[in-house]
Amino acid sequence: MKLASLNHGRDGQLIVVSRDLIQAVHAHDIAPTLQFALDNWDQVEGDLQHLYRNLNDGTAHDVFPFNPKLCASPLPRAYQWADGSAYVNHVELVRKARGAEMPESFWTDPLVYQGMSDAFLTPTQDIDVTDENWGIDFEAEIAIVTNDVDMGIRTEEVHGHIKLLMLVNDVSLRNLIPAELAKGFGFFQSKPASAFSPVAVTPDELGDNWHDYKVHHRLTVHHNGVLFGQPHAGTDMTFNFAELVQHVAKSRPLSAGTIIGSGTVSNKDSSSGSCCLAERRMLEIIDNGVAETPFMRFGDTVRIEMFDDSGQSIFGAIEQKVARYEHRYHDEDLNHHRPS
Protein backbone atom coordinates (compact mmCIF):
# COMPACT_ATOMS: atom_id res chain seq x y z
CA MET A 1 0.00 0.00 0.00
CA LYS A 2 1.17 3.52 -0.83
CA LEU A 3 0.04 6.52 1.18
CA ALA A 4 0.62 10.27 0.92
CA SER A 5 -0.60 13.50 2.50
CA LEU A 6 -1.88 16.46 0.54
CA ASN A 7 -0.43 19.72 1.82
CA HIS A 8 -3.53 20.78 3.73
CA GLY A 9 -3.40 22.12 7.28
CA ARG A 10 -0.75 21.19 9.81
CA ASP A 11 -1.23 17.42 9.50
CA GLY A 12 -2.12 17.04 5.84
CA GLN A 13 -4.98 15.17 4.21
CA LEU A 14 -4.51 11.43 3.72
CA ILE A 15 -4.71 9.96 0.21
CA VAL A 16 -4.04 6.49 -1.18
CA VAL A 17 -1.69 6.43 -4.20
CA SER A 18 -1.59 3.84 -6.96
CA ARG A 19 1.37 1.49 -7.23
CA ASP A 20 2.63 3.30 -10.35
CA LEU A 21 2.29 6.72 -8.63
CA ILE A 22 -0.04 7.98 -11.38
CA GLN A 23 -3.41 8.17 -9.63
CA ALA A 24 -4.75 8.76 -6.13
CA VAL A 25 -7.97 8.75 -4.16
CA HIS A 26 -8.99 10.51 -0.96
CA ALA A 27 -9.07 8.39 2.19
CA HIS A 28 -10.93 10.86 4.42
CA ASP A 29 -13.88 8.48 4.91
CA ILE A 30 -11.43 6.05 6.52
CA ALA A 31 -8.79 8.29 8.10
CA PRO A 32 -8.45 12.07 7.75
CA THR A 33 -4.68 12.08 8.33
CA LEU A 34 -1.83 9.61 8.31
CA GLN A 35 -1.28 10.17 12.02
CA PHE A 36 -4.92 9.21 12.64
CA ALA A 37 -4.39 6.07 10.56
CA LEU A 38 -1.30 5.13 12.57
CA ASP A 39 -3.09 5.78 15.86
CA ASN A 40 -5.88 3.45 14.74
CA TRP A 41 -3.96 1.11 12.43
CA ASP A 42 -5.67 -2.15 13.41
CA GLN A 43 -9.07 -0.61 12.71
CA VAL A 44 -8.31 1.18 9.42
CA GLU A 45 -5.61 -0.88 7.70
CA GLY A 46 -8.06 -3.31 6.10
CA ASP A 47 -10.20 -0.52 4.65
CA LEU A 48 -7.15 1.34 3.36
CA GLN A 49 -5.83 -1.85 1.72
CA HIS A 50 -9.24 -2.44 0.12
CA LEU A 51 -9.24 1.10 -1.28
CA TYR A 52 -5.68 0.57 -2.54
CA ARG A 53 -6.68 -2.63 -4.37
CA ASN A 54 -9.66 -0.88 -5.96
CA LEU A 55 -7.45 1.99 -7.08
CA ASN A 56 -4.96 -0.35 -8.74
CA ASP A 57 -7.60 -2.51 -10.47
CA GLY A 58 -9.53 0.52 -11.75
CA THR A 59 -12.70 0.19 -9.66
CA ALA A 60 -12.13 3.09 -7.22
CA HIS A 61 -14.38 6.16 -7.46
CA ASP A 62 -13.40 9.85 -7.52
CA VAL A 63 -9.87 9.09 -8.69
CA PHE A 64 -7.60 12.05 -9.51
CA PRO A 65 -4.05 12.44 -10.90
CA PHE A 66 -1.32 12.14 -8.29
CA ASN A 67 0.85 15.26 -8.13
CA PRO A 68 3.81 15.15 -5.70
CA LYS A 69 4.06 18.94 -5.82
CA LEU A 70 0.75 19.11 -3.93
CA CYS A 71 2.02 16.83 -1.17
CA ALA A 72 3.44 17.45 2.25
CA SER A 73 5.82 14.91 3.70
CA PRO A 74 3.67 11.83 4.52
CA LEU A 75 3.75 12.91 8.16
CA PRO A 76 3.92 16.72 7.91
CA ARG A 77 4.91 16.74 11.58
CA ALA A 78 5.63 13.87 13.93
CA TYR A 79 5.72 13.24 17.65
CA GLN A 80 9.24 11.86 17.32
CA TRP A 81 12.02 11.80 14.69
CA ALA A 82 15.08 9.81 15.72
CA ASP A 83 17.86 9.54 13.16
CA GLY A 84 20.52 6.88 13.43
CA SER A 85 23.84 6.26 11.73
CA ALA A 86 23.41 2.65 10.71
CA TYR A 87 26.03 2.73 7.95
CA VAL A 88 29.11 2.84 10.14
CA ASN A 89 31.37 3.00 7.09
CA HIS A 90 30.15 6.58 6.68
CA VAL A 91 31.11 7.44 10.28
CA GLU A 92 34.50 5.79 9.88
CA LEU A 93 35.28 7.81 6.75
CA VAL A 94 34.38 11.11 8.37
CA ARG A 95 36.57 10.39 11.39
CA LYS A 96 39.45 9.01 9.32
CA ALA A 97 39.58 12.15 7.20
CA ARG A 98 40.17 14.30 10.28
CA GLY A 99 42.66 11.81 11.76
CA ALA A 100 40.41 10.63 14.57
CA GLU A 101 40.29 7.05 15.74
CA MET A 102 36.85 5.46 15.83
CA PRO A 103 35.88 3.72 19.08
CA GLU A 104 35.19 0.01 18.68
CA SER A 105 31.82 0.52 20.37
CA PHE A 106 30.56 2.32 17.24
CA TRP A 107 30.37 -1.09 15.53
CA THR A 108 28.18 -2.56 18.28
CA ASP A 109 26.16 0.35 19.67
CA PRO A 110 24.20 2.59 17.25
CA LEU A 111 24.53 6.37 17.14
CA VAL A 112 21.18 8.18 17.29
CA TYR A 113 20.12 11.80 17.66
CA GLN A 114 16.64 13.26 18.08
CA GLY A 115 15.84 15.74 15.33
CA MET A 116 13.38 18.51 14.59
CA SER A 117 9.92 17.03 14.00
CA ASP A 118 7.37 19.79 14.58
CA ALA A 119 7.34 20.81 10.89
CA PHE A 120 8.98 18.83 8.09
CA LEU A 121 9.66 20.31 4.67
CA THR A 122 7.50 19.14 1.79
CA PRO A 123 9.21 16.84 -0.75
CA THR A 124 9.63 19.75 -3.20
CA GLN A 125 10.10 22.65 -0.79
CA ASP A 126 13.16 24.90 -0.89
CA ILE A 127 15.82 24.40 1.74
CA ASP A 128 15.92 27.91 3.22
CA VAL A 129 19.28 28.81 4.75
CA THR A 130 20.54 32.15 6.01
CA ASP A 131 24.24 31.70 5.26
CA GLU A 132 26.02 29.66 2.56
CA ASN A 133 29.05 29.40 4.82
CA TRP A 134 27.20 27.07 7.16
CA GLY A 135 28.21 24.10 4.97
CA ILE A 136 24.86 23.08 3.46
CA ASP A 137 24.64 19.35 2.76
CA PHE A 138 22.01 16.80 1.79
CA GLU A 139 21.88 13.33 3.35
CA ALA A 140 19.89 10.67 1.50
CA GLU A 141 18.47 8.08 3.86
CA ILE A 142 15.69 5.56 4.45
CA ALA A 143 13.26 5.83 7.35
CA ILE A 144 10.65 3.64 8.98
CA VAL A 145 7.46 4.64 10.78
CA THR A 146 6.31 2.55 13.76
CA ASN A 147 3.10 1.98 15.63
CA ASP A 148 3.15 1.97 19.45
CA VAL A 149 6.27 0.19 20.70
CA ASP A 150 6.86 -0.98 24.27
CA MET A 151 9.94 0.14 26.13
CA GLY A 152 12.60 -2.56 26.21
CA ILE A 153 11.45 -4.32 23.04
CA ARG A 154 13.80 -7.01 21.69
CA THR A 155 14.78 -7.27 18.03
CA GLU A 156 12.85 -10.53 17.61
CA GLU A 157 9.69 -8.69 18.72
CA VAL A 158 9.95 -5.81 16.22
CA HIS A 159 8.19 -7.64 13.39
CA GLY A 160 4.80 -6.03 12.89
CA HIS A 161 5.78 -2.73 14.49
CA ILE A 162 7.29 -1.30 11.29
CA LYS A 163 4.26 -0.01 9.41
CA LEU A 164 5.72 2.25 6.72
CA LEU A 165 8.94 3.16 4.93
CA MET A 166 9.98 6.48 3.38
CA LEU A 167 13.02 8.24 1.95
CA VAL A 168 14.61 11.19 3.76
CA ASN A 169 16.73 14.21 3.01
CA ASP A 170 18.25 14.88 6.42
CA VAL A 171 19.62 18.36 5.76
CA SER A 172 22.86 19.10 7.62
CA LEU A 173 24.79 22.33 8.17
CA ARG A 174 28.24 20.80 8.36
CA ASN A 175 30.21 23.85 9.43
CA LEU A 176 27.99 24.31 12.49
CA ILE A 177 28.45 20.73 13.68
CA PRO A 178 31.98 20.84 15.19
CA ALA A 179 31.23 23.66 17.63
CA GLU A 180 27.98 22.01 18.70
CA LEU A 181 29.54 18.59 19.28
CA ALA A 182 32.42 20.19 21.15
CA LYS A 183 29.91 21.25 23.80
CA GLY A 184 29.14 17.58 24.42
CA PHE A 185 25.38 18.07 24.13
CA GLY A 186 24.60 17.00 20.55
CA PHE A 187 23.08 18.50 17.39
CA PHE A 188 20.60 21.35 17.29
CA GLN A 189 21.36 24.36 15.09
CA SER A 190 23.24 22.14 12.64
CA LYS A 191 20.16 20.00 11.96
CA PRO A 192 17.30 22.05 10.44
CA ALA A 193 14.06 20.64 9.03
CA SER A 194 14.22 17.41 7.01
CA ALA A 195 12.11 16.41 3.99
CA PHE A 196 10.58 13.01 3.28
CA SER A 197 9.51 11.33 0.05
CA PRO A 198 6.02 12.19 -1.21
CA VAL A 199 4.89 8.59 -0.65
CA ALA A 200 5.23 6.20 2.28
CA VAL A 201 4.85 2.49 1.55
CA THR A 202 4.03 -0.58 3.59
CA PRO A 203 6.92 -3.10 3.73
CA ASP A 204 5.04 -5.64 1.58
CA GLU A 205 5.32 -3.24 -1.39
CA LEU A 206 9.04 -4.05 -1.53
CA GLY A 207 8.44 -7.79 -1.87
CA ASP A 208 11.64 -9.84 -1.60
CA ASN A 209 13.68 -6.64 -1.50
CA TRP A 210 12.59 -6.13 2.12
CA HIS A 211 14.27 -8.74 4.31
CA ASP A 212 16.48 -8.80 7.39
CA TYR A 213 14.86 -5.45 8.23
CA LYS A 214 16.77 -3.81 5.37
CA VAL A 215 15.76 -2.32 2.01
CA HIS A 216 17.67 -4.10 -0.76
CA HIS A 217 17.57 -1.46 -3.51
CA ARG A 218 19.94 1.28 -4.62
CA LEU A 219 19.29 4.82 -3.46
CA THR A 220 19.80 7.30 -6.30
CA VAL A 221 20.98 10.86 -5.69
CA HIS A 222 21.39 13.63 -8.26
CA HIS A 223 23.13 16.90 -7.39
CA ASN A 224 22.50 19.80 -9.77
CA GLY A 225 21.10 17.34 -12.31
CA VAL A 226 24.18 15.10 -12.31
CA LEU A 227 24.22 11.59 -10.86
CA PHE A 228 26.03 11.82 -7.52
CA GLY A 229 25.57 8.35 -6.06
CA GLN A 230 23.73 5.04 -6.23
CA PRO A 231 24.88 3.03 -3.21
CA HIS A 232 23.01 -0.14 -2.34
CA ALA A 233 20.93 0.36 0.80
CA GLY A 234 21.00 -3.31 1.78
CA THR A 235 24.80 -3.51 1.68
CA ASP A 236 27.04 -2.46 4.59
CA MET A 237 24.10 -1.53 6.85
CA THR A 238 25.74 -2.33 10.18
CA PHE A 239 22.53 -1.98 12.21
CA ASN A 240 19.23 -3.03 10.64
CA PHE A 241 15.93 -1.34 11.45
CA ALA A 242 15.01 -3.90 14.12
CA GLU A 243 18.23 -3.11 15.94
CA LEU A 244 17.57 0.62 15.61
CA VAL A 245 14.07 0.20 17.06
CA GLN A 246 15.46 -1.82 19.96
CA HIS A 247 18.10 0.85 20.61
CA VAL A 248 15.69 3.78 20.49
CA ALA A 249 13.15 2.02 22.73
CA LYS A 250 15.69 0.88 25.34
CA SER A 251 14.56 3.39 27.96
CA ARG A 252 11.31 4.81 26.56
CA PRO A 253 8.18 3.61 24.75
CA LEU A 254 7.57 4.85 21.22
CA SER A 255 4.26 6.36 20.18
CA ALA A 256 2.54 5.54 16.90
CA GLY A 257 4.01 7.74 14.20
CA THR A 258 7.58 7.60 15.50
CA ILE A 259 10.04 7.99 12.60
CA ILE A 260 13.45 6.32 12.76
CA GLY A 261 16.07 7.08 10.11
CA SER A 262 18.91 4.92 8.86
CA GLY A 263 21.48 7.67 8.54
CA THR A 264 23.33 8.35 5.30
CA VAL A 265 23.37 5.28 3.06
CA SER A 266 26.98 4.36 2.42
CA ASN A 267 28.93 1.47 0.86
CA LYS A 268 32.53 0.48 1.57
CA ASP A 269 32.95 0.19 -2.20
CA SER A 270 32.86 3.87 -3.13
CA SER A 271 32.54 3.22 -6.87
CA SER A 272 28.76 3.70 -6.63
CA GLY A 273 29.17 7.21 -5.26
CA SER A 274 27.85 8.78 -2.10
CA CYS A 275 24.62 10.02 -0.56
CA CYS A 276 26.03 13.23 0.90
CA LEU A 277 28.65 15.83 0.02
CA ALA A 278 30.56 15.34 3.26
CA GLU A 279 31.39 11.73 2.42
CA ARG A 280 32.76 12.64 -1.01
CA ARG A 281 34.80 15.40 0.58
CA MET A 282 36.19 12.93 3.11
CA LEU A 283 37.20 10.54 0.34
CA GLU A 284 38.95 13.40 -1.45
CA ILE A 285 40.86 14.31 1.72
CA ILE A 286 41.90 10.68 2.22
CA ASP A 287 43.03 10.32 -1.42
CA ASN A 288 44.44 13.78 -2.16
CA GLY A 289 44.81 15.56 1.15
CA VAL A 290 42.21 18.22 0.31
CA ALA A 291 38.44 18.40 -0.19
CA GLU A 292 37.58 19.61 -3.68
CA THR A 293 33.78 19.24 -3.75
CA PRO A 294 32.08 22.33 -2.30
CA PHE A 295 29.02 22.26 -0.09
CA MET A 296 25.71 23.42 -1.58
CA ARG A 297 25.19 27.01 -2.65
CA PHE A 298 22.05 29.04 -3.18
CA GLY A 299 20.35 27.69 -6.30
CA ASP A 300 21.85 24.19 -6.03
CA THR A 301 19.44 21.27 -6.32
CA VAL A 302 19.20 17.71 -5.03
CA ARG A 303 16.97 14.82 -6.13
CA ILE A 304 16.63 11.63 -4.07
CA GLU A 305 14.76 8.58 -5.39
CA MET A 306 14.63 4.79 -5.26
CA PHE A 307 13.59 2.48 -8.11
CA ASP A 308 12.35 -1.10 -8.11
CA ASP A 309 13.80 -3.86 -10.29
CA SER A 310 11.66 -2.76 -13.25
CA GLY A 311 12.77 0.88 -13.00
CA GLN A 312 9.55 2.16 -11.39
CA SER A 313 9.93 4.84 -8.72
CA ILE A 314 8.83 3.38 -5.38
CA PHE A 315 8.42 6.43 -3.15
CA GLY A 316 8.43 9.29 -5.64
CA ALA A 317 11.25 11.82 -5.56
CA ILE A 318 12.46 14.37 -3.08
CA GLU A 319 13.38 17.38 -5.25
CA GLN A 320 14.72 20.45 -3.48
CA LYS A 321 16.60 23.67 -4.14
CA VAL A 322 18.70 25.67 -1.70
CA ALA A 323 17.37 29.21 -1.27
CA ARG A 324 18.45 32.24 0.72
CA TYR A 325 16.24 32.74 3.77
CA GLU A 326 15.20 36.29 4.45
CA HIS A 327 13.34 37.42 7.55
CA ARG A 328 9.91 38.70 6.62
CA TYR A 329 8.15 40.94 9.13
CA HIS A 330 4.56 42.06 8.88
CA ASP A 331 3.55 45.52 10.06
CA GLU A 332 2.09 44.09 13.25
CA ASP A 333 5.40 42.34 13.96
CA LEU A 334 7.27 45.62 13.57
CA ASN A 335 4.80 47.38 15.86
CA HIS A 336 5.15 44.59 18.40
CA HIS A 337 8.93 44.92 18.47
CA ARG A 338 9.04 48.72 18.28
CA PRO A 339 9.82 50.30 21.68
CA SER A 340 6.99 52.43 23.09
Side-chain angles (χ1 to χ4, degrees):
M1 179 167 55
K2 298 193 175 187
L3 303 172
S5 294
L6 294 180
N7 195 5
H8 178 80
R10 287 185 181 268
D11 294 303
Q13 188 176 79
L14 183 63
I15 59 174
V16 176
V17 183
S18 61
R19 184 170 285 112
D20 58 12
L21 306 183
I22 293 176
Q23 295 182 312
V25 62
H26 287 284
H28 49 68
D29 289 342
I30 303 170
T33 67
L34 182 54
Q35 183 61 55
F36 180 95
L38 290 161
D39 286 338
N40 301 277
W41 193 259
D42 290 344
Q43 290 74 44
V44 305
E45 181 189 13
D47 289 336
L48 288 172
Q49 288 282 12
H50 181 70
L51 184 57
Y52 181 62
R53 288 192 295 271
N54 289 348
L55 178 61
N56 285 306
D57 66 21
T59 60
H61 300 292
D62 300 321
V63 173
F64 57 90
F66 176 62
N67 184 354
K69 293 182 179 180
L70 300 180
C71 289
S73 285
L75 283 169
R77 57 179 176 171
Y79 292 115
Q80 183 160 224
W81 157 229
D83 196 17
S85 193
Y87 297 85
V88 180
N89 172 68
H90 172 75
V91 182
E92 187 175 41
L93 281 175
V94 171
R95 294 180 70 90
K96 183 178 179 181
R98 66 172 189 261
E101 292 294 323
M102 192 173 77
E104 281 297 316
S105 63
F106 281 24
W107 292 101
T108 57
D109 192 30
L111 298 172
V112 176
Y113 82 93
Q114 191 159 347
M116 172 184 172
S117 64
D118 54 325
F120 296 125
L121 301 176
T122 78
T124 58
Q125 188 173 351
D126 286 350
I127 302 167
D128 286 334
V129 181
T130 304
D131 192 339
E132 282 184 334
N133 294 321
W134 286 350
I136 309 159
D137 200 357
F138 52 83
E139 291 193 66
E141 309 181 8
I142 301 165
I144 60 166
V145 184
T146 74
N147 62 356
D148 292 321
V149 176
D150 290 336
M151 181 171 65
I153 192 172
R154 297 172 297 181
T155 55
E156 59 267 28
E157 298 171 326
V158 170
H159 179 74
H161 286 285
I162 298 174
K163 297 304 182 185
L164 298 168
L165 295 107
M166 310 181 288
L167 303 182
V168 194
N169 181 17
D170 176 43
V171 180
S172 292
L173 304 175
R174 298 292 186 182
N175 292 339
L176 299 185
I177 290 177
E180 286 204 299
L181 294 187
K183 297 177 181 179
F185 215 59
F187 302 118
F188 196 86
Q189 293 176 335
S190 52
K191 290 289 188 176
S194 299
F196 293 82
S197 52
V199 172
V201 310
T202 49
D204 61 289
E205 284 293 319
L206 299 175
D208 293 339
N209 295 104
W210 168 253
H211 60 86
D212 301 324
Y213 298 101
K214 301 177 183 180
V215 177
H216 293 267
H217 282 298
R218 293 189 177 277
L219 186 55
T220 302
V221 181
H222 285 82
H223 178 220
N224 291 334
V226 178
L227 181 64
F228 189 83
Q230 283 184 305
H232 194 277
T235 303
D236 301 321
M237 188 179 189
T238 309
F239 304 104
N240 64 28
F241 280 112
E243 292 168 317
L244 291 178
V245 170
Q246 180 190 44
H247 180 84
V248 172
K250 177 178 180 177
S251 60
R252 64 174 79 176
L254 310 180
S255 295
T258 292
I259 306 172
I260 300 175
S262 67
T264 307
V265 175
S266 176
N267 290 166
K268 293 179 181 178
D269 179 0
S270 62
S271 63
S272 294
S274 302
C275 280
C276 71
L277 293 167
E279 183 170 299
R280 177 174 287 188
R281 288 168 58 88
M282 295 308 107
L283 289 168
E284 292 168 347
I285 291 172
I286 292 167
D287 291 342
N288 306 316
V290 61
E292 300 172 350
T293 300
F295 288 120
M296 298 181 84
R297 300 291 185 184
F298 298 136
D300 280 8
T301 61
V302 61
R303 180 184 176 99
I304 299 169
E305 198 165 11
M306 181 175 281
F307 301 91
D308 64 19
D309 294 336
S310 66
Q312 168 68 44
S313 181
I314 300 171
F315 303 90
I318 299 171
E319 294 188 86
Q320 295 182 279
K321 179 178 69 176
V322 176
R324 184 188 298 275
Y325 175 74
E326 297 179 0
H327 296 283
R328 299 175 182 88
Y329 292 108
H330 299 295
D331 289 341
E332 57 268 26
D333 296 321
L334 292 173
N335 290 333
H336 177 73
H337 291 288
R338 187 178 291 125
S340 56

